[in-house]
Amino acid sequence: MLGATARANAASGGFYYSGPPSDHFDGQRFFNPGDEGSRGFGDFLRWQLTKREVPWPDFYPSPFQGAPLARVGPRDLRISLVGHATFLIQMAGFNVLTDPVWSERASPFSFAGPKRHNPPGIPFERLPRIDVVLISHNHYDHMDLPTIARLWERDQPRMMAPLGNDAIIRSQAPSIPVGTMDWGDRREAAPGLHVFMEPAHHWSARATNDRNHALWAAFVVRAAGRSVYFAGDTGFGGGRHFQTTAARHPNLDVALLPIGAYEPRWFMASNHMNPSDAVRALRILRARSALGYHWGTFKLTDEGIDQPVRDLAVALKKEDIPARRFTALRPGQVWTTGQGAGSSA
């Protein structure tokens, strides 16, 4: 729910961010360039009334679980999936977390909303000291304020988020400093660790009256010659934002790409990629490897719990891409350069 600061901003006629218009900000709301707009509430009702969802099992445990390394070497890159869109990226001696969610539900409520079907692949108590936290946007399955507060209290990491999202975090935890960025910005998060904010094709909201008042984004993280792309949450959007990123960041080591929450396509295509879209994105980005996420933890849409894995296999075969190049990770699973995926954390 909105905190006191954000509610005060709403009462005065503005939410979260104030700045000059741009090609993705109209002075009040952010938008996807060249897009006809997201589906509205009427479309949402149509989906709810006509949905044909595949039931999920109550528990879908991952075979991978364990404790990560405290740090990796100065030339190493090691990526562990915690769950959904939460990754621990360990590179060049730094520890970076994306969209950290350790709560049981992706919801403003502790008693309702999407619930975990598997525990975090890394228990919070086994998480190494975190240097940087990257937050892609403000949806509850990506911005979990209780987890953010826990991380700040324990490690005081550098928090980085798209424009406007700092106001949401400070409304609940005023003491947490959050550095904000716009698409195309670059920051040195720590000596030798560079963070680039890249466009994504999505939307934002925490409540019923703040739609698109905060920006959404992807990230590229670079250190010691290594580079990782994290797509956040995104639709394919004609591939324009992937083309922009590919031009700015050739020779990516690995692209982290969402492959779940995509059915029904008539409703979800503008905001969520399916595995076929993700494979097309990999082709555009020309990353050496890709890791799939955003599936199998929180039930958000109609497809079955493991349908993204099956659909990814079909898409890779159709495009004649080796399966080892694009792995749909499970919580706790680890990818390292030169070794592929499959080990436990």
Side-chain angles (χ1 to χ4, degrees), residues 220-287:
V220 170
V221 185
R222 289 185 172 274
R226 301 292 191 184
S227 57
V228 179
Y229 171 74
F230 171 61
D233 204 353
T234 188
F236 187 73
R240 291 178 295 272
H241 56 296
F242 297 119
Q243 292 165 359
T244 298
T245 300
R248 281 166 51 88
H249 302 282
N251 304 316
L252 290 165
D253 284 291
V254 59
L256 312 181
L257 296 170
I259 61 169
Y262 53 85
E263 291 290 349
R265 289 313 284 153
W266 69 264
F267 185 69
M268 293 294 168
S270 62
N271 298 310
H272 288 158
M273 294 197 296
N274 63 11
S276 179
D277 291 335
V279 170
R280 287 195 292 164
L282 173 59
R283 281 230 182 262
I284 294 171
L285 291 165
R286 300 188 298 276

Side-chain angles (χ1 to χ4, degrees), residues 54-58 117 295-305:
V54 178
W56 282 26
D58 289 337
H117 289 259
W295 71 279
T297 294
F298 296 114
K299 190 178 191 309
L300 305 174
T301 51
D302 290 357
E303 74 272 8
I305 196 165

Side-chain angles (χ1 to χ4, degrees), residues 91-127:
M91 59 190 307
F94 299 107
N95 291 332
V96 179
L97 269 184
T98 67
D99 290 352
V101 179
W102 264 263
S103 291
E104 186 65 15
R105 293 186 185 272
S107 169
F109 309 108
S110 61
F111 55 87
K115 187 177 182 180
R116 284 185 177 277
H117 289 259
N118 38 62
I122 302 173
F124 191 88
E125 297 73 21
R126 296 184 179 180
L127 192 67

Side-chain angles (χ1 to χ4, degrees), residues 67-188:
L69 303 175
R71 302 276 176 182
V72 298
R75 299 289 299 174
D76 295 334
L77 174 58
R78 189 176 197 266
I79 300 175
S80 309
L81 180 65
V82 176
H84 196 58
T86 306
F87 283 97
L88 171 62
I89 302 171
Q90 298 185 281
M91 59 190 307
F94 299 107
N95 291 332
V96 179
L97 269 184
T98 67
D99 290 352
V101 179
W102 264 263
S103 291
E104 186 65 15
R105 293 186 185 272
S107 169
F109 309 108
S110 61
F111 55 87
K115 187 177 182 180
R116 284 185 177 277
H117 289 259
N118 38 62
I122 302 173
F124 191 88
E125 297 73 21
R126 296 184 179 180
L127 192 67
R129 183 178 181 85
I130 300 302
D131 303 302
V132 177
V133 172
L134 306 178
I135 300 164
S136 68
H137 68 298
N138 67 14
H139 286 157
Y140 286 91
D141 57 324
H142 295 259
M143 179 189 283
D144 180 31
L145 295 180
T147 295
I148 291 171
R150 288 178 75 186
L151 286 165
W152 177 253
E153 181 179 359
R154 198 192 73 163
D155 296 340
Q156 296 189 347
R158 178 90 177 265
M159 301 275 184
M160 309 182 79
L163 297 174
N165 289 281
D166 55 329
I168 301 167
I169 296 172
R170 288 201 306 267
S171 73
Q172 298 294 320
S175 65
I176 300 179
V178 181
T180 57
M181 302 169 66
D182 197 359
W183 296 350
D185 285 350
R186 169 182 177 171
R187 300 284 187 275
E188 189 172 29

